[in-house]
Every structure is written in C-alpha cells, then in structure tokens.
Amino acid sequence: MPELPDVETFKRYLNVTSLHQRIEDVDVRKAYVLKDTSARELARKLKGRRFELSRRHGKHLFVRADDDVWLRLHFGMTGSLQYFKNDEQAPRHTRVLFAFANNHCLAFDDQRQFGQISLLTDVDEFLKKRALGPDALDLDLGKFRKILAKHRGAVKSILMNQRLIAGIGNIYADEILFRTRVHPATEISLLDGKALTKLFRATHYILQKAIAAKADVNRMPKSWLLPHRGKGGKCPRCGRKLRSAKVGGRTAWFCAHCQSRRQSR
Ligand SMILES: [Zn+2]
C-alpha cells in the first residue's frame, strides 16, 4: 500500500517525465477511479493544458494543470504511475491514460482498484475538509511531541492516524517502531520525552531513507524490518522469529525480544 515514501517517489517520477507537455487526450478506462468528477469533465479540464507542478501531502499527490485546476491522485493499495511511448503497450491495469503531444503517455495503473482520481480547485481547502494532519516530513520535534502528547492509544495507531500525522501507514509505522525498539501496542502515554524525541528522529530517518531508496524494498538496508517482514521472517538484530499481531486493525510485524512492551510504572 503506497505510503509517504512511495507517493514521494511517484511525485519525483511524474516531475521528471510528465511536466510541461501538452495533454492531448485523457482516456478513462475504468470509472471507479474517478471521485466527484466524470470522464468528460476530466478530459474537458485537462485537454490542451499542461501539468505544471506537483505537490504531495501525506499519501495524496496533487498535480496542477492551471491556476484552479488540480488533479488529485491517491494510490489506494496498488496504484502506480508508468510513463511510456505511445507505441509501447500500456500497463495491464491501466485505469486512466494521459496522452501527451510528444507521443508519450502517463498511465495510472491500479490492479486492486482502490485508487482515486479527482479534480480540485484548491488543495488547501481539500486538506482542511479531509481534516488531514500535517505531512510527516513537515513536522518539527515540538509539533510532533505536541500531537502525540494530546492523544491516547497504541503508539502505532497514532502514527498511522492520517488526521494526526499524514503519510505513515502500516509498513513504515512498523519500521519506525522497530528502529526505536518500541512495541507497536505500547500505550503512547507511557513514552516519555526522550522516547518521543527518538520516535521523531526515527520517523524522519526512515521516511527520508526510504525515499532515497525509491521506496524499493530491494534497495533498503538489510538491517531494516521491511526485507524480513512476513511469515518466517527473522529479526535482523537478534535473529529471533518475527511476530505479528493486530494493532489498530492492521497487522503489525515486530520482534518481541527487541521491542519490549512498556508497562506503566
Ligand atoms: Zn530482535
């Protein structure tokens, strides 16, 4: 499921492939992907324009085509972008295809069909309406601590709550907690100032490093949880078998030995 590092990678990919080229055609192949717009409106608003710049907030990618025409892309569970020449075959699960004047296309590919595309006139208004928290990479330590201090619950659920902090999902929450040796079900109020500072640093470190690795697990350090995550996986730190548990409705992977569950004093 694309999280902040994946979406940032899509943003950079779109920036180097698809900006400043005349949009000749917009081909919507599956209508489920459109939210609050139609294939007709999408084509009408975009044809003849160019994607000028992009902006990311959490797991949303926004692409500006005019002062008040923004395309919003959300990648759901399996969404991705593919840029290719007209005469090459489109990806198998192409849902929307943007054709440019330079004989290239950008495909929004989405096998599981949880992706979303919509049109906006104002990005900030959208963020407000959705009540999304600040982007995880925009936070400074003070703000991060303030947000976490105000809420109760499992630390992992709080990290994944898009209304508190936008961008972190199941995979990277686990990775951040593995790095800080905190059990995912730990009640947030049991973490002291020092632990919260560590959590903040780990959040930045993991997200930045994952972006540098283009969110590709094969490029990530073997000392991370991600390459080992899943059934039969072993902790890269101590070699013990990784465990899983449901936390906040999602499957958390962790090492029960390295990530102790803090108890109240
Ligand atoms: Zn371990």
Side-chain angles (χ1 to χ4, degrees), residues 25 34 38 58 66 96 124 159 165-166 182 190 194 219 237 244 261:
D25 194 28
L34 301 181
S38 64
D66 205 340
V96 178
D124 291 312
L159 286 177
I165 301 170
V182 172
L190 297 178
K194 210 173 136 193
R219 294 177 187 225
R237 217 180 254 141
S244 68
R261 189 157 178 182

Side-chain angles (χ1 to χ4, degrees), residues 152-243:
R152 292 288 167 269
V155 59
K156 183 176 173 188
S157 306
I158 289 177
L159 286 177
M160 287 194 304
N161 185 338
Q162 301 302 299
R163 291 182 172 215
L164 302 181
I165 301 170
I168 303 169
N170 196 32
I171 299 272
Y172 289 101
D174 280 355
E175 197 66 55
I176 290 162
L177 293 168
F178 179 73
R179 183 168 175 84
T180 48
R181 299 181 183 235
V182 172
H183 189 288
T186 302
E187 165 62 41
I188 189 84
S189 59
L190 297 178
L191 298 181
D192 59 13
K194 210 173 136 193
L196 291 179
T197 302
K198 264 174 86 178
L199 199 60
F200 171 76
R201 295 216 174 105
T203 298
H204 268 251
Y205 176 83
I206 294 290
L207 295 176
Q208 299 280 19
K209 194 105 180 167
I211 291 168
K214 298 189 169 163
D216 177 353
V217 62
N218 297 315
R219 294 177 187 225
M220 285 177 201
K222 293 283 171 276
S223 59
W224 281 24
L225 182 67
L226 198 43
H228 311 277
R229 211 169 180 277
K231 260 210 166 105
K234 292 204 169 80
C235 172
R237 217 180 254 141
C238 72
R240 289 176 174 85
K241 242 173 103 180
L242 293 172
R243 297 257 286 269

Side-chain angles (χ1 to χ4, degrees), residues 16 25 29 76 80 114 117 132 144 146 156 211:
V16 298
D25 194 28
R29 298 185 174 182
S80 68
F114 286 98
I117 292 181
L132 286 174
F144 182 84
K146 222 167 139 186
K156 183 176 173 188
I211 291 168

Side-chain angles (χ1 to χ4, degrees), residues 38-56:
S38 64
R40 220 163 135 193
E41 190 192 13
L42 196 68
R44 188 168 59 78
K45 288 269 172 76
L46 295 179
K47 265 192 197 173
R49 295 220 162 82
R50 292 167 169 81
F51 292 136
E52 293 165 352
L53 59 91
S54 65
R55 172 179 167 187
R56 185 192 54 73

